[in-house]
Amino acid sequence: SERRRLDYFFSLSMMAVVGGAAVTALLGLIYWRHHYREHSPGGMWFFQLGIAAYVEIVNGLLTRLSVWLTTRENHRTQTEHEWHALSKVLLFKFLNSYLVLFYTAFFKEHHWLFGTEMKCWEDDCFGDLSWQLAIFVFFRLTFTNVYEYVEPRVKLWWRSMFLEKRAFWQTLQTALNGTMLLEVAAMSPAEQQSKRDRYDEFRNCDEILLSHGFATFFAVTSPWVCAATLVAMLVEIGLDMKMLTDHQQRPMPRLARNNDPWSVAFDIYGFIASGTNILLLIFASEEYNDWTLTEKLVLFVWLEHMLVLSRVALHLVFPQVPKNVELLQLKQEHMVHRCLENIKVEQAHDFSMFRDKHTDNVDIFENDILERDDDNEAEVEPTLNLGASARSMVDGLTEAKTWLPSSN
């Protein structure tokens, strides 16, 4: 409809404006870091920590903006809503979270930004990239998890203080303990659940996807980041378990055919990570400085084709849905179709009792018991006698000749 097209146009316009503003702001931070790192307290570390804090704050705002734009588009199904929301979040957060790292890896050394020639820290772009990536991972491991732990308690304090009109000390006790013990004892399980925040599945999966990008995009420059991300994920699992059981509402189960769109998002991040690491290894490192540009391009294309073929081969050897599950699904769909269309099936005879009776079990004896007059009679073994055989043949021919008609 006309209203839906206008909503889509508004979303695209907002994404273009906000994306351009985010890129410009990040490039401005990189420019200020280059000029004022020697005149600020903490030097380079101050700006790297400030960029990490800016990225996390803006990521939260971009998530809210993406969800608001998707809700405004009013999609028909939950699946369409999640696909459009994820596409916006994926684009926004990819630019906001990884632009500084990509710029440092590929474009910073001996390039101009706002009329100034840029240089890497101590003329080592990989070292500059590694330290900025370390700050990102450290910030997400500490400040982000602390915020996720404190946020529901602050929301509970806000509701208790301003919505339920409680006293200050009573509200402070409620904020520290989650809910007061006497109230919890008097509440039913449903009432206890209603006091908690809703579980945001989209936000949780989005955070995992973002951490996956930090762990894999620049692994060749910082191999340690995989171990650091593993530690961060273990802390995240423990914190999410605590939040889900004590401070958030029990999530409502809903039907889903698969894990899309998140499976597709992780596949996209996997291809981007493989391509980025190969580019870093071939074009940004010093391992292939003696190679020409054509040789580097040929090596890059060959490695990318090998990765794609490996992905296809693994998908064929280990399919996402096993064959027996596909057969069961087809059988279930056939049964549902037959029931809905009221298709009657003729009764089939059960031949299972004859399944193992393909051949008759006939007893074979060594001799014919019907031709023996006496069971105790000795058996006579046949012997070879050519003379007796010739006489028998002559007698048979003579007897047959008597039956022939006479010529007279």
Side-chain angles (χ1 to χ4, degrees), residues 331-344:
K331 181 180 178 180
Q332 179 69 20
E333 292 177 355
H334 175 70
M335 293 176 61
V336 170
H337 173 72
R338 193 179 65 196
C339 294
L340 293 177
E341 299 296 334
N342 195 20
I343 301 175
K344 296 182 179 180

Side-chain angles (χ1 to χ4, degrees), residues 237-283:
I237 289 173
L239 182 61
D240 289 344
M241 179 181 63
K242 182 70 174 177
M243 298 294 295
L244 187 59
T245 55
D246 295 342
H247 301 287
Q248 291 179 338
Q249 295 180 9
R250 185 183 300 121
M252 296 297 295
R254 57 188 180 88
L255 296 176
R257 180 179 293 273
N258 47 35
N259 197 34
D260 287 341
W262 298 106
S263 297
V264 177
F266 276 98
D267 285 340
I268 293 174
Y269 266 46
F271 281 110
I272 296 176
S274 62
T276 302
N277 284 283
I278 294 175
L279 285 173
L280 286 171
L281 185 63
I282 297 176
F283 294 96

Side-chain angles (χ1 to χ4, degrees), residues 260-406:
D260 287 341
W262 298 106
S263 297
V264 177
F266 276 98
D267 285 340
I268 293 174
Y269 266 46
F271 281 110
I272 296 176
S274 62
T276 302
N277 284 283
I278 294 175
L279 285 173
L280 286 171
L281 185 63
I282 297 176
F283 294 96
S285 68
E286 299 179 356
E287 296 293 331
Y288 301 93
N289 285 341
D290 298 334
W291 290 34
T292 63
L293 179 61
T294 304
E295 292 174 341
K296 291 180 179 180
L297 289 174
V298 170
L299 179 60
F300 172 75
V301 172
W302 182 78
L303 291 176
E304 280 293 322
H305 279 71
M306 290 298 100
L307 286 174
V308 173
L309 292 177
S310 300
R311 175 71 171 82
V312 173
L314 286 176
H315 181 73
L316 294 177
V317 176
F318 304 103
Q320 185 176 7
V321 180
K323 293 296 183 181
N324 57 343
V325 177
E326 289 184 355
L327 293 176
L328 290 176
Q329 185 177 359
L330 290 175
K331 181 180 178 180
Q332 179 69 20
E333 292 177 355
H334 175 70
M335 293 176 61
V336 170
H337 173 72
R338 193 179 65 196
C339 294
L340 293 177
E341 299 296 334
N342 195 20
I343 301 175
K344 296 182 179 180
V345 180
E346 297 181 358
Q347 281 289 358
H349 296 286
D350 186 11
F351 294 101
S352 60
M353 60 182 299
F354 305 106
R355 201 166 288 162
D356 298 328
K357 303 294 183 180
H358 297 294
T359 58
D360 295 332
N361 295 327
V362 180
D363 295 330
I364 301 176
F365 298 98
E366 296 181 358
N367 48 43
D368 190 358
I369 60 174
L370 298 178
E371 294 182 355
R372 296 175 57 185
D373 297 331
D374 188 2
D375 294 339
N376 297 326
E377 183 180 355
E379 296 182 359
V380 179
E381 293 292 336
T383 57
L384 179 60
N385 192 342
L386 296 178
S389 299
R391 286 192 296 269
S392 299
M393 184 181 67
V394 172
D395 294 339
L397 292 175
T398 304
E399 183 178 359
K401 185 179 178 181
T402 58
W403 291 93
L404 292 176
S406 166

Side-chain angles (χ1 to χ4, degrees), residues 7-8 10-15 18 62-75 81 88 92:
D7 291 337
Y8 285 158
F10 177 78
S11 297
L12 291 175
S13 303
M14 286 291 295
M15 291 174 62
V18 174
L62 291 176
T63 300
R64 294 178 179 274
L65 176 63
S66 302
V67 174
W68 178 73
L69 290 175
T70 308
T71 304
R72 191 174 181 273
E73 292 170 1
N74 193 20
H75 295 282
H81 177 88
K88 297 179 181 63
F92 280 147

